[in-house]
Amino acid sequence: KRSNSTPTVQGSVRSQITERFQISSYVILTRSHCGRKTTDTEEEEEQTEKRFRRCEKAGCAAAYPVCFASASERCAKNGYTSRWYHLSCGEHFCNECFDHYYRSHKDGYEKYSLWKRLWTGNGKSEPSVKAFMSDQQLPYWVQCTKPDCGKWRQLTKEIQLTPSLALAYCCGMKLSNVKSEGPDQCSQPEDLRVAGVLDSWWSSMLILPPLLKESPASPFLSAYYPDCVGMSPSGSAHSNLRPEHLNPYFQPFYQPSECGKALCVRPDMMELDELYEFPEFSRDPTMYLALRNLVLAAWHRDCKEPLTGAEVAPHVIVRGLVRVRCVQELDKVLPFMTRKGLVNTGILQTNQPLLPEPYHNKKVLVIGAGASGLAAARQLKNFGLQVVVVEARERIGGRVWDDTSLGVTVGRGAQIVNGCVNNPIALMCEQLGVKMHKLSERCEILQDRGQSTDPAVDKRMDFHFNAILDVVSEWRKDKTQNQDVPLGEKIQEVYKTFLQESGLRFSELEEKVLQFHLSNLEYACASPLDQVSARSWDHNEFFAQFTGDHTLLTQGYSTPLHHLAQGLDIHFNRPVQAIDYSGNVVKVTTSNGTRYTAHKVLVTVPLALLQNNTIQFNPPLPDRKLKAVHSLGAGVIEKIALQFPHRFWDAKIQGADYFGHVPPSPEKRGLFSVFYDMTPQGDQCVLMSVITGQALTMIRDLQDAQVVNLCMTVLRELFKEQEVPDPVKYFVTHWSQDTWSRMTYSFVKTGGSGEAYDVIAEDVQGKVFFAGEATNRHFPQTVTGAYLSGVREASKIAAL
């Protein structure tokens, strides 16, 4: 016998239905005994209609609805009303409670009016009585957190759900003044309506989409109408965390009228891959947007620990049974976002697989332990797949190779991050607590004999340089690949035409400054301009790029890469010789005879090695892919770093991060055009410079000491007014001769196209996959692009 308790809602419904069936039977029997016709049911149905009314919503199975509101003294409860208002299958309110709020002479009208003004001021959707009931009057539902229970319970109307309550709730938990109803409340059956919510059709019967309250996404989305991004216009802003408390490089959502920012999503619109994965939300994406925006915000609040559904679900604050459905959908949305690399990425190492069991039955072999290979292997291992990495070298990193022999970290390969907003490198630095040094825009351009170039001259020639490129962009609009010409040739043609038509004549210094800007273009392309496509040299600029600060990784790229590698099964000194994918499994053979088998193989070797047929494929790669491989160029730049006994450049450079060098002639424009101070305003004395373009032919056959002498000649010309000491230590790179790279980064050759990056990225027969900067059309030539290509392929491999 239960004391101080009231019948449950479903108990009341069942007793009423039983009673009605008994009454109906009695009426039929009575009529029969009185000799009246038992086949004529019209009168009986009319009487029943007067006592009870079905929900008029087509498809709703509620023959005897129950009003959840109980707001009016005349509330129909579970009896007769002139009209039932449907919110969901299982949630209705009667016409008397509708009038209680809607009619101006009723007691509830003022409450509804205040809510309506708030909703209208903040939102875009209609502030109807149904919206009011959904947003303010429906009871909350919460799930028992005991591992062996997990049943959903309806809270009483006066109980407000909070994340902390959702995290701690157990069946029978004492809330407010409500007493616990027995020692083992978990044994009580779950409300029958919950089972209906879990059916796929249930959400199609919702009258209004769910709008979350107190969502952690609200600080990110204050510029949007809340109901357009899945949040309630009546919910106050989430005050625990403001945007200014977040890493400024974390900007996962586009703001209104904003565009061109990489790895951003529209918070009010589903992406194509989301629509493909969740077609059921194509007509009304509100529930998906609410959950996706919540997940992204939660991840960017704390990216140092894996984000789980158990952590996100308590922040799904919405009234009514729809909360049950939202939490159920979260169990699909979060794994999808994890697989795509939108969350739970970077250097995270997990104890439990991030994806469900069906994803775990694949064995994957990753060839290459560079940025792309490590990114893919880290993701796949976190997903729960079996992963082995084979590497030809005796170290990880590939073309990332940090040198500390000069007393400071100098990247023999990459070291600069171009655009930090949403950049995964910035994310990993946040996870590691590593500071990135923001590079200033100030750059002194020094001439031979040491004079500083007038900034006005540099600004003028920079304008002309960009104007030339603009003309090239106009020229290529209607050109096919067959009409392509070398970029260097086209620039010279445009430049000569401009001089002839304008009558302008540049000074000798201005001509040299223009050559300086051309050397920077060759640095960006890693090639002499006479080999680069005029039509497609900047093909990736048509896609949103990373914005924000350019930074120097003072600790080097090796720091995040070594953390990516932790815990992975990496086999060093295993150059892959052959890949046989003719059977059900892929067989891989290394040059020392080691053999591997796997369900999937990911190839991340540099483009130059694919061009040189370093790996033999059986069957051979498709002609389409081979054509794409050879339509790109394997670009090369070389670096030189020098350590000095003291910082002789400080007085002239005044703490700048780098300074430029006006080339004495066009042939030498790529010879030490920029010098980077590896510790500006620091106590280390290290300069690093680059050799690019045609200047590479000048040093090809020189010894390192001879290259250093060339560099010292330039420095002594630039700082002629003082004594420039000999370097204490130095190094010179030789990427073009490196057996396992033969290049630095890719470019589009004349006659080629940016589409080649996509073609190289295509998998072959769902067995052999490809990653690396030369497979990333959006972000080629960068460690970021390589990393993201690995994340991309991990997602594809896991999904197949």
Side-chain angles (χ1 to χ4, degrees):
K1 191 173 182 180
R2 295 164 60 187
S3 60
N4 298 321
S5 62
T6 56
T8 60
V9 172
Q10 64 266 35
S12 298
V13 174
R14 284 197 296 270
S15 63
Q16 288 289 333
I17 292 173
T18 302
E19 182 181 347
R20 288 165 193 156
F21 280 133
Q22 291 172 345
I23 291 171
S24 298
S25 300
Y26 176 78
V27 169
I28 293 171
L29 287 170
T30 303
R31 288 176 176 173
S32 176
H33 285 209
C34 293
R36 300 178 63 180
K37 292 182 179 180
T38 58
T39 56
D40 184 9
T41 59
E42 292 182 5
E43 182 180 346
E44 177 186 340
E45 290 176 353
E46 182 180 347
Q47 292 299 320
T48 303
E49 177 67 19
K50 289 180 180 179
R51 292 174 61 85
F52 312 106
R53 182 182 288 276
R54 294 178 62 93
C55 174
E56 297 174 3
K57 172 71 174 174
C60 179
Y64 302 104
V66 178
C67 180
F68 69 82
S70 298
S72 169
E73 291 182 357
R74 301 179 60 193
C75 175
K77 306 295 182 184
N78 52 0
Y80 174 81
T81 183
S82 59
R83 178 181 177 184
W84 284 108
Y85 292 86
H86 174 105
L87 293 181
S88 76
C89 289
E91 293 168 323
H92 301 79
F93 61 97
C94 66
N95 194 61
E96 286 71 23
C97 288
F98 175 92
D99 286 348
H100 177 76
Y101 291 110
Y102 187 72
R103 305 300 176 189
S104 58
H105 63 282
K106 297 287 186 178
D107 293 342
Y109 179 74
E110 184 177 354
K111 183 176 183 180
Y112 170 61
S113 296
L114 289 173
W115 171 88
K116 187 175 180 180
R117 284 196 291 272
L118 178 64
W119 189 276
T120 304
N122 294 333
K124 202 172 183 181
S125 55
E126 181 187 358
S128 63
V129 175
K130 287 187 176 182
F132 169 75
M133 290 292 196
S134 294
D135 187 70
Q136 296 291 307
Q137 298 301 304
L138 277 174
Y140 284 107
W141 288 76
V142 65
Q143 191 172 24
C144 179
T145 55
K146 291 182 180 178
D148 55 348
C149 180
K151 292 174 183 173
W152 286 92
R153 305 301 188 189
Q154 177 180 304
L155 299 178
T156 54
K157 286 182 63 175
E158 64 272 14
I159 301 298
Q160 296 293 316
L161 182 62
T162 63
S164 58
L165 173 57
L167 275 169
Y169 181 81
C170 296
C171 293
M173 184 175 178
K174 183 177 180 180
L175 300 172
S176 185
N177 294 321
V178 180
K179 294 183 179 179
S180 185
E181 296 184 355
D184 184 17
Q185 289 298 306
C186 289
S187 64
Q188 297 297 316
E190 189 174 57
D191 192 304
L192 296 175
R193 291 176 292 169
V194 173
V197 176
L198 303 181
D199 288 334
S200 58
W201 56 267
W202 188 88
S203 58
S204 66
M205 296 294 290
L206 275 175
I207 292 297
L208 298 167
L211 298 175
L212 306 188
K213 296 174 178 286
E214 305 288 352
S215 172
S218 59
F220 292 92
L221 303 176
S222 58
Y224 284 88
Y225 289 110
D227 41 347
C228 292
V229 291
M231 299 187 300
S232 169
S234 71
S236 59
H238 195 273
S239 58
N240 292 341
L241 194 69
R242 309 304 305 170
E244 58 268 21
H245 299 148
L246 295 166
N247 187 317
Y249 297 149
F250 291 173
Q251 298 177 27
F253 303 107
Y254 276 119
Q255 297 305 304
S257 303
E258 185 181 41
C259 62
K261 195 158 62 175
L263 298 195
C264 257
V265 299
R266 283 282 302 270
D268 56 345
M269 185 180 296
M270 291 178 72
E271 307 277 334
L272 287 177
D273 57 346
E274 294 174 318
L275 287 167
Y276 180 80
E277 189 83 8
F278 300 99
E280 64 271 25
F281 291 114
S282 58
R283 294 188 65 181
D284 186 350
T286 305
M287 184 186 298
Y288 178 83
L289 293 175
L291 296 175
R292 180 251 269 158
N293 295 343
L294 167 61
V295 168
L296 276 177
W299 168 243
H300 285 90
R301 289 175 65 192
D302 181 10
C303 61
K304 297 180 181 180
E305 297 293 335
L307 187 67
T308 65
E311 293 177 68
V312 180
H315 295 280
V316 179
I317 305 298
V318 61
R319 291 179 179 273
L321 282 164
V322 74
R323 181 167 189 267
V324 179
R325 186 53 176 261
C326 285
V327 172
Q328 181 198 35
E329 294 296 334
L330 183 63
D331 288 339
K332 293 185 284 186
V333 172
L334 180 56
F336 167 75
M337 296 178 69
T338 295
R339 177 168 59 81
K340 297 295 288 186
L342 298 172
V343 300
N344 287 333
T345 187
I347 63 158
L348 289 185
Q349 296 188 45
T350 61
N351 296 323
Q352 298 294 325
L354 295 174
L355 295 187
E357 183 68 33
Y359 289 95
H360 303 171
N361 59 354
K362 300 186 190 80
K363 183 177 180 181
V364 183
L365 186 72
V366 177
I367 301 173
S372 57
L374 293 175
R378 177 82 275 145
Q379 292 287 103
L380 290 168
K381 188 173 190 302
N382 285 351
F383 292 168
L385 281 72
Q386 304 172 57
V387 188
V388 173
V389 182
V390 292
E391 167 57 48
R393 307 176 193 269
E394 58 184 14
R395 62 171 178 84
I396 68 164
R399 285 166 280 175
V400 170
W401 186 13
D402 292 333
D403 191 306
T404 58
S405 64
L406 306 186
V408 62
T409 300
V410 181
R412 286 176 173 262
Q415 195 170 2
I416 292 173
V417 182
N418 293 307
C420 288
V421 172
N422 296 334
N423 197 307
I425 307 302
L427 171 77
M428 287 188 276
C429 288
E430 173 74 10
Q431 291 172 328
L432 290 168
V434 169
K435 298 292 184 182
M436 300 192 297
H437 173 72
K438 178 182 175 181
L439 293 171
S440 65
E441 296 182 2
R442 185 167 66 89
C443 177
E444 291 280 348
I445 303 179
L446 304 181
Q447 307 167 40
D448 287 346
R449 300 187 180 181
Q451 305 101 310
S452 291
T453 302
D454 185 347
V457 173
D458 178 36
K459 186 175 181 179
R460 182 185 182 200
M461 298 318 295
D462 181 56
F463 170 81
H464 285 292
F465 169 70
N466 285 296
I468 291 170
L469 293 179
D470 288 342
V471 175
V472 174
S473 295
E474 283 296 315
W475 164 84
R476 69 186 177 193
K477 283 183 177 178
D478 60 347
K479 298 297 183 293
T480 65
Q481 281 182 249
N482 293 332
Q483 296 173 302
D484 198 7
V485 298
L487 179 59
E489 177 184 309
K490 192 64 188 176
I491 286 174
Q492 283 300 315
E493 177 190 319
V494 172
Y495 180 55
K496 288 180 180 178
T497 301
F498 168 72
L499 292 179
Q500 290 171 358
E501 293 181 353
S502 67
L504 281 176
R505 290 294 177 266
F506 293 125
S507 68
E508 181 182 353
L509 174 60
E510 289 171 330
E511 292 277 5
K512 289 180 177 179
V513 172
L514 180 59
Q515 293 298 320
F516 168 77
H517 288 292
L518 289 170
S519 74
N520 284 333
L521 183 56
E522 289 182 322
Y523 184 9
C525 295
S527 170
L529 299 182
D530 60 7
Q531 298 177 23
V532 179
S533 166
R535 182 174 171 272
S536 301
W537 72 273
D538 61 344
H539 63 97
N540 61 310
E541 292 298 320
F542 295 100
F543 305 103
Q545 295 297 298
F546 291 104
T547 60
D549 301 335
H550 299 314
T551 59
L552 179 74
L553 291 183
T554 53
Q555 295 185 27
Y557 271 105
S558 292
T559 299
L561 292 196
H562 277 287
H563 281 82
L564 279 178
Q566 283 182 5
L568 297 179
D569 185 7
I570 304 176
H571 299 187
F572 293 103
N573 299 309
R574 299 283 198 280
V576 170
Q577 196 171 50
I579 299 175
D580 185 342
Y581 60 99
S582 59
N584 293 328
V585 296
V586 186
K587 300 175 182 178
V588 175
T589 306
T590 66
S591 59
N592 63 2
T594 307
R595 295 187 177 184
Y596 299 88
T597 59
H599 298 107
K600 315 285 180 187
V601 169
L602 174 61
V603 179
T604 71
V605 301
L607 174 71
L609 300 191
L610 292 177
Q611 292 175 336
N612 295 336
N613 298 316
T614 303
I615 299 175
Q616 299 299 312
F617 291 88
N618 180 36
L621 293 177
D623 290 341
R624 166 182 164 86
K625 185 179 287 288
L626 292 174
K627 182 179 178 182
V629 164
H630 291 284
S631 72
L632 298 182
V636 176
I637 65 168
E638 302 292 0
K639 286 186 172 184
I640 180 173
L642 310 116
Q643 181 186 15
F644 295 97
H646 62 269
R647 300 170 59 85
F648 61 86
W649 58 88
D650 267 353
K652 185 176 290 187
I653 304 307
Q654 298 176 345
D657 294 305
Y658 44 83
F659 57 91
H661 162 217
V662 176
S665 65
E667 299 78 27
K668 293 185 177 181
R669 70 186 181 204
L671 201 59
F672 320 118
S673 59
V674 178
F675 287 88
Y676 291 86
D677 184 346
M678 302 311 295
T679 55
Q681 301 176 344
D683 55 357
Q684 299 296 322
C685 314
V686 177
L687 292 177
M688 182 272 289
S689 190
V690 293
I691 305 114
T692 63
Q694 296 290 356
L696 286 167
T697 60
M698 300 173 61
I699 68 159
R700 183 174 298 156
D701 299 323
L702 299 182
Q703 300 295 319
D704 287 1
Q706 294 174 299
V707 178
V708 171
N709 287 337
L710 279 177
C711 189
M712 291 307 301
T713 300
V714 170
L715 283 172
R716 285 180 172 128
E717 278 292 320
L718 300 182
F719 296 90
K720 203 174 186 70
E721 70 283 357
Q722 63 188 90
E723 186 74 23
V724 176
D726 288 332
V728 177
K729 292 181 182 177
Y730 61 81
F731 70 73
V732 179
T733 65
H734 300 279
W735 288 109
S736 64
Q737 301 169 32
D738 186 287
T739 304
W740 304 117
S741 61
R742 300 288 182 184
M743 64 179 295
T744 49
Y745 44 83
S746 61
F747 66 94
V748 180
K749 292 196 293 190
T750 304
S753 164
E755 184 184 359
Y757 287 90
D758 288 338
V759 176
I760 299 172
E762 292 173 356
D763 64 89
V764 181
Q765 297 183 11
K767 300 174 186 176
V768 183
F769 299 77
F770 295 84
E773 59 85 17
T775 72
N776 195 325
R777 187 176 185 178
H778 290 221
F779 314 112
Q781 307 172 326
T782 62
V783 178
T784 297
Y787 173 87
L788 287 172
S789 73
V791 171
R792 176 198 70 213
E793 295 307 302
S795 176
K796 286 165 60 176
I797 290 169
L800 284 175

